[in-house]
Amino acid sequence: MTVREALGYAKEELEGAGIFEAAMDAKYLLMEVAGLSSAELFFAAERKLEEGTVQKYRAVIERRRAREPLQYIVGTQEFMGLSFLVSPAVLIPRQDTERLVELALPHCSCARVLDLCTGSGCILLSLAKLSGLKSGVGVDLSKEALLVAKKNAERLLVSVELIESDLFENVQGIFDVIVSNPPYICAGEIGGLMPEVRDFEPRMALDGDVDGLCFYRRIAEGAGLYLRTGGRIFLEIGCTQAKEVSSLLEENGFEEIDVKKDYAGLDRVVCGCYRGE
Ligand code: GLN
């Protein structure tokens, strides 16, 4: 099978499974499996692939056809220009979340930063890498997620503390900044998500209970014990949750509450400043 034939076969298979960017996924997976660059693929269209490569390619196309996310197949996702390992134990870092990092960054240099529900560690580790924290603590309920975050910290050569904890449960100390992208999808809406998310991403990273707000309530209520007066909070939200999350912060000692939009123009981050009790 030549490169051209392989790409044609894969595109057809993926299109048949209703995958939107079939040609791009086909190309990307062949680059991975054959160890070729995009340019090499282009110029080597008539090159014959080794039988082993063809077999591996068929296997990954089969996985993608079953709607497994590309990122779990290749094992990485770029976020804030950095490469993060991902596995089915963690949510795949989203571009929307880069907005939160950009907003928090100016407040993080030499700061003590706490990331609740750290997952792959993408938020905390990119803040640490790009701004230089005084210290960083990332917590998650999932041991498996923390192992991924730990590997990412090692790969990026940043030193942070990663703790197994149900939100603040095992957290100690006072912080300058709290960041979080907690699970925020209403339990009843998970069934309607695209198969890549619904069937492959960890449910515990998605499920925000009946109204999607469960984690925001707990974070808003607990944050005052862990933030210094004047400390800042940045919460990623679902695009319909701005009002409720803003009220939760207001009721719990925060001021300068602001809602920021993502690049699609949707409400995406709520931030606030802790005024103390
Ligand atoms: N903080 C991680 C991320 O933004 C994980 C989020 C989550 O598990 N809900 O990708």
Side-chain angles (χ1 to χ4, degrees):
M1 193 183 258
T2 65
V3 164
R4 185 196 305 279
E5 285 162 352
L7 290 174
Y9 137 83
K11 179 167 173 267
E12 204 168 297
E13 289 284 306
L14 299 183
E15 269 171 359
I19 289 167
F20 181 57
E21 290 187 314
M24 230 168 71
D25 286 8
K27 190 175 145 190
Y28 197 72
L29 287 168
L30 189 56
M31 284 163 62
E32 276 293 311
V33 164
L36 295 171
S37 69
S38 174
E40 281 170 325
L41 274 198
F42 182 78
F43 289 112
E46 303 310 330
R47 184 197 291 182
K48 245 184 135 31
L49 293 165
E50 282 173 24
E51 194 42 45
T53 306
V54 173
Q55 270 175 19
K56 274 193 215 148
Y57 192 48
R58 284 189 194 279
V60 297
I61 292 301
E62 200 42 52
R63 286 170 68 183
R64 185 68 192 104
R65 227 171 70 87
R67 305 298 291 260
E68 182 171 350
L70 191 74
Q71 294 89 336
Y72 289 152
I73 300 173
V74 302
T76 55
Q77 167 67 36
E78 189 186 304
F79 181 83
M80 294 303 292
L82 304 167
S83 167
F84 285 85
L85 295 176
V86 293
S87 82
V90 299
L91 198 76
I92 297 163
R94 306 292 206 265
Q95 215 180 359
D96 294 336
T97 307
E98 293 187 343
R99 190 76 187 109
L100 182 152
V101 172
E102 286 162 5
L103 290 163
L105 256 176
H107 301 275
C108 285
S109 137
C110 297
R112 293 157 295 178
V113 177
L114 171 63
D115 178 16
L116 300 168
C117 311
T118 197
S120 63
C122 64
I123 298 175
L124 181 71
L125 297 175
S126 45
L127 288 172
K129 189 78 189 169
L130 301 175
S131 100
L133 312 178
K134 181 168 184 198
S135 61
V137 176
V139 308
D140 205 285
L141 194 51
S142 156
K143 275 195 189 63
E144 292 76 23
L146 288 167
L147 285 175
V148 176
K150 191 165 165 259
K151 280 194 208 148
N152 280 323
E154 283 162 8
R155 266 164 67 100
L156 294 169
L157 306 173
V158 295
S159 153
V160 294
E161 203 182 334
L162 295 161
I163 312 175
E164 188 181 338
S165 173
D166 182 6
L167 296 183
F168 300 105
E169 189 186 23
N170 300 321
V171 175
Q172 279 175 350
I174 299 290
F175 296 85
D176 302 299
V177 177
I178 293 180
V179 287
S180 183
N181 174 23
Y184 59 67
I185 301 183
C186 301
E189 286 172 12
I190 291 177
L193 298 175
M194 56 198 280
E196 279 84 350
V197 181
R198 183 191 63 209
D199 301 337
F200 291 93
E201 295 205 78
R203 193 179 170 109
M204 74 186 274
L206 301 169
D207 191 339
D209 214 349
V210 184
D211 63 358
L213 297 170
C214 152
F215 286 86
Y216 300 113
R217 265 187 214 103
R218 293 176 56 205
I219 292 171
E221 283 164 13
L225 286 174
Y226 298 89
L227 266 183
R228 67 167 167 85
T229 300
R232 307 238 160 212
I233 193 162
F234 298 86
L235 300 173
E236 180 170 329
I237 55 158
C239 59
T240 59
Q241 296 169 323
K243 243 175 89 183
E244 289 92 337
V245 175
S246 299
S247 307
L248 284 168
L249 289 182
E250 212 173 311
E251 289 158 19
N252 286 283
F254 285 86
E255 57 191 8
E256 295 176 40
I257 294 161
D258 205 359
V259 178
K260 303 285 189 187
K261 293 190 187 302
D262 62 21
Y263 295 111
L266 303 170
D267 289 343
R268 187 57 63 198
V269 181
V270 177
C271 23
C273 177
Y274 188 56
R275 68 162 180 269
E277 283 305 335

